[in-house]
Amino acid sequence: MVKHRSSYRSIISSSSSSVRFFSIKAITLYLIFVFAFTIWVLVFSSRNIQTDDQTQHQQQQHRDLIDSQEFPTPYLPPRKNLQKPDEKTQLWTPPFSFGLHPCVKPTPKYKEFTESDHYITVRSNGGLNQMRTGIADIVAVAHIMNATLVIPELDKRSFWQDSSVFSDIFDEEHFIKSLRRDVKIIKKLPKEVESLPRARKHFTSWSSVGYYEEMTHLWKEYKVIHVAKSDSRLANNDLPIDIQRLRCRVLYRGLRFSPAIESLGQKLVERLKSRAGRFIALHLRYEKDMLAFTGCTYGLTYAESEELRVMRESTSHWKIKSINSTEQRVEGLCPLTPKEVGIFLKGLGYPESTVIYIAAGEIYGGDDRLSELKSRFPNLLFKEMLATKEELKGFTGHATKTAALDYIISVESDVFVPSHSGNMARAVEGHRRFLGHRRTITPDRKGLVKLFNKFERGHLQEGTKLSNLVKQMHQARQGAPRRRKGPTQGIKGRARFRTEEAFYENPYPECICSSKDHKEP
């Protein structure tokens, strides 16, 4: 009996040990599986959304390839497990956006404005898009400082000398009403404070919320603060999410163009689409003021170069007077010429029949300067070719109004291509990202200059080799989702802010959310 009990206990003990062994083994295998699955997800994700460092590394590799004497046909690896898209269709379709969508609603922690007897007046500076982004900043500043904002005064002293007032360009009533929970906006100062002394401030560029909270000490002595400049008053990064979303609400919802501009802009979009179904909006920044400001004279005559130099030296608010045009171009700081744009678009694979809308003012050099672009793409269209003289009557002599038409068409285009990274190019790119990452191709001007130089010397011809190099160079420059780029490495102090990607150029992630979040109407 004792022997049987001993055997029974032995069996039980052995069984328990076996169960414990298999339990530990099962847990170990489960943990290994979870770890392996996590690594697989991370690797798969990293293949789709590249980091800025990876993108920069690829671009440098492409430039090194251009510097070499040989031009091997680059190998473009096919995407696995995906049906190969039609190349012609791929030129027009938006890049995959991973289910991202706009999100501008305040968080539950957001504090709506409270009534205040303090006022901010502001003179917006620059062209249309510099003023638009500046106004968005000032609305946020007024919210932070708990001040009533007076409708901004538009710039009438810039290169364009436009006499338009706020209500000529924007839907003033909509602006006031749509932002009523964020800041109180009035059309003019109350009579009882008009004659009071004002604090005149040049707020520091790229400032934090803390800076403006400190500035509230001015309310102890003044009821009105006048802000001399509106652009870049807030930092691009490290601001509370509710302040960033307020900036987006202003820019993408509050600052609607006036009914007359919106109506004609949409008509022109419809007319463009009726011609070919789809079109490229080319922001050809080859106007006199841009060339004079940047000091870019490549391909111009001596007389033209001198005309631009005189203009630059006589414009008081342009600080840099002496510019080496060759160095500017080599560093990628010059706008592409019309000829270079033609070679670039042809290299990307766009056919000769492509309809291209020129979103620009008067091109320096006129039709002669456009001839080599037109020889490659004959279907060039300007707003004057799409609208009647009667429709454009109220726009003549008002560069800000015509720029608004270009903005609407550029945002609504199938593909947007800027020849230079100016204020409009950045604003349009950001808006297109916000609306679903519509295809926006930003030329790598520094890399392209090396190609163009070889082309001019006869070392490279238009054709398959050039096209492959152009395509490879721009694989990661098609407007696909990515986080905003930070400052250039090695640059310290306030100078680093100038090297950051502008918030309005890429409002991700603050104003663009993932698919797991509730979509806003």
Side-chain angles (χ1 to χ4, degrees):
M1 183 69 178
V2 173
K3 185 177 180 180
H4 285 305
R5 288 179 181 173
S6 177
S7 297
Y8 177 73
R9 282 195 295 268
S10 176
I11 291 170
I12 293 296
S13 175
S14 175
S15 177
S16 299
S17 298
S18 178
V19 169
R20 284 196 300 271
F21 173 76
F22 283 114
S23 297
I24 293 169
K25 186 176 181 181
I27 291 171
T28 303
L29 288 172
Y30 175 74
L31 290 174
I32 291 172
F33 173 76
V34 170
F35 178 75
F37 180 73
T38 303
I39 294 297
W40 181 83
V41 170
L42 290 172
V43 170
F44 182 78
S45 299
S46 67
R47 287 174 60 192
N48 288 293
I49 303 180
Q50 293 182 319
T51 63
D52 292 338
D53 290 340
Q54 288 173 316
T55 302
Q56 290 170 3
H57 178 65
Q58 281 187 354
Q59 290 170 359
Q60 187 58 49
Q61 284 181 323
H62 299 159
R63 291 171 186 157
D64 292 342
L65 179 63
I66 294 164
D67 286 334
S68 68
Q69 294 300 312
E70 299 296 327
F71 294 95
T73 301
Y75 170 67
L76 303 178
R79 295 187 179 184
K80 296 180 180 180
N81 303 323
L82 288 176
Q83 186 178 357
K84 188 176 180 181
D86 178 70
E87 186 176 351
K88 291 182 180 179
T89 303
Q90 198 175 21
L91 290 169
W92 299 97
T93 55
F96 186 59
S97 63
F98 300 91
L100 297 174
H101 57 86
C103 52
V104 296
K105 285 185 178 179
T107 69
K109 295 182 179 180
Y110 181 68
K111 293 181 180 179
E112 296 185 359
F113 91 97
T114 55
E115 286 288 341
S116 168
D117 60 351
H118 302 127
Y119 302 88
I120 288 179
T121 61
V122 59
R123 187 184 72 82
S124 298
N125 59 296
L128 172 67
N129 291 287
Q130 193 172 350
M131 289 193 290
R132 288 178 68 251
T133 56
I135 290 169
D137 276 8
I138 288 298
V139 169
V141 168
H143 176 85
I144 295 165
M145 297 184 69
N146 193 32
T148 296
L149 178 66
V150 179
I151 287 289
E153 176 190 349
L154 301 189
D155 192 342
K156 297 179 177 63
R157 296 180 290 179
S158 65
F159 170 79
W160 297 277
Q161 298 288 303
D162 193 330
S163 61
S164 299
V165 297
F166 189 92
S167 59
D168 293 329
I169 308 299
F170 304 108
D171 187 333
E172 191 172 75
E173 296 302 327
H174 174 78
F175 179 67
I176 294 170
K177 185 178 179 181
S178 65
L179 299 169
R180 63 188 180 278
R181 294 183 178 179
D182 303 299
V183 63
K184 184 176 181 180
I185 304 173
I186 57 176
K187 294 183 180 181
K188 59 182 181 179
L189 283 170
K191 289 184 178 180
E192 60 270 21
V193 298
E194 272 185 341
S195 58
L196 296 177
R198 305 179 188 184
R200 299 185 179 274
K201 288 293 296 180
H202 282 265
F203 286 137
T204 303
S205 301
W206 301 297
S207 290
S208 65
V209 168
Y211 170 84
Y212 288 105
E213 288 174 342
E214 290 177 11
M215 288 295 105
T216 57
H217 76 271
L218 293 169
W219 298 135
K220 295 177 181 178
E221 297 182 45
Y222 301 95
K223 281 190 174 294
V224 183
I225 296 175
H226 177 71
V227 184
K229 291 179 68 178
S230 61
D231 68 315
S232 304
R233 295 308 98 184
L234 280 169
N236 292 310
N237 303 299
D238 302 321
L239 294 181
I241 189 169
D242 275 321
I243 295 301
Q244 299 286 56
R245 288 188 176 182
L246 172 55
R247 296 167 87 182
C248 289
R249 284 200 297 281
V250 179
L251 196 64
Y252 304 132
R253 303 282 170 83
L255 276 175
R256 192 164 68 189
F257 290 119
S258 68
I261 293 174
E262 282 285 346
S263 176
L264 182 55
Q266 293 303 327
K267 283 180 182 178
L268 299 187
V269 170
E270 290 169 9
R271 290 170 192 175
L272 276 161
K273 287 188 177 292
S274 69
R275 292 206 174 203
R278 53 196 181 189
F279 68 95
I280 292 175
L282 171 61
H283 184 44
L284 188 58
R285 198 68 170 92
Y286 208 76
E287 298 121 326
K288 185 177 181 180
D289 66 304
M290 171 55 70
L291 297 176
F293 177 74
T294 58
C296 295
T297 59
Y298 175 77
L300 302 183
T301 65
Y302 176 78
E304 288 172 328
S305 299
E306 280 298 293
E307 182 182 29
L308 297 177
R309 181 188 63 78
V310 170
M311 179 181 179
R312 181 170 63 255
E313 292 181 354
S314 61
T315 304
S316 59
H317 59 276
W318 290 353
K319 304 301 180 186
I320 302 175
K321 303 299 182 182
S322 179
I323 299 175
N324 186 312
S325 178
T326 302
E327 290 180 1
Q328 285 282 94
R329 184 170 179 269
V330 169
E331 289 301 314
L333 301 176
C334 288
L336 298 181
T337 68
K339 176 182 177 180
E340 291 170 342
V341 171
I343 297 171
F344 171 62
L345 292 176
K346 187 176 178 181
L348 286 173
Y350 287 98
E352 184 181 10
S353 59
T354 300
V355 171
I356 299 177
Y357 173 79
I358 305 295
E362 184 179 353
I363 302 302
Y364 192 60
D367 289 340
D368 289 342
R369 194 61 34 74
L370 284 169
S371 61
E372 294 217 50
L373 171 59
K374 196 164 187 176
S375 68
R376 292 172 174 86
F377 296 96
N379 295 318
L380 298 184
L381 296 173
F382 295 81
K383 62 182 72 66
E384 293 80 6
M385 300 166 69
L386 295 167
T388 66
K389 289 184 179 180
E390 186 64 28
E391 287 174 322
L392 290 175
K393 189 176 181 180
F395 292 78
T396 305
H398 297 280
T400 308
K401 286 185 177 182
T402 55
L405 291 177
D406 284 341
Y407 184 88
I408 292 170
I409 295 169
S410 296
V411 168
E412 295 298 329
S413 65
D414 298 279
V415 178
F416 175 66
V417 179
S419 67
H420 190 261
S421 55
N423 290 311
M424 176 167 167
R426 289 193 289 269
V428 171
E429 179 179 351
H431 202 160
R432 288 172 68 85
R433 287 182 178 278
F434 179 79
L435 293 173
H437 292 88
R438 298 172 178 177
R439 187 168 293 277
T440 301
I441 305 173
T442 53
D444 179 359
R445 297 189 304 278
K446 189 172 182 178
L448 285 171
V449 163
K450 295 180 180 181
L451 286 181
F452 296 145
N453 286 345
K454 288 185 177 291
F455 177 82
E456 292 296 332
R457 292 195 292 266
H459 297 161
L460 186 62
Q461 305 296 324
E462 287 187 83
T464 303
K465 285 185 178 179
L466 176 60
S467 181
N468 284 335
L469 286 167
V470 170
K471 289 175 183 177
Q472 188 177 21
M473 188 186 296
H474 292 86
Q475 280 181 323
R477 304 177 73 94
Q478 305 275 333
R482 59 169 176 78
R483 285 182 174 271
R484 201 162 51 252
K485 296 176 184 176
T488 302
Q489 290 184 352
I491 298 181
K492 299 180 180 180
R494 295 195 60 80
R496 72 186 188 279
F497 294 132
R498 290 187 179 276
T499 69
E500 293 178 334
E501 185 173 27
F503 171 73
Y504 298 114
E505 186 176 358
N506 183 7
Y508 178 72
E510 298 93 338
C511 300
I512 302 174
C513 298
S514 64
S515 55
K516 66 182 180 182
D517 299 315
H518 178 66
K519 288 189 177 182
E520 297 177 6

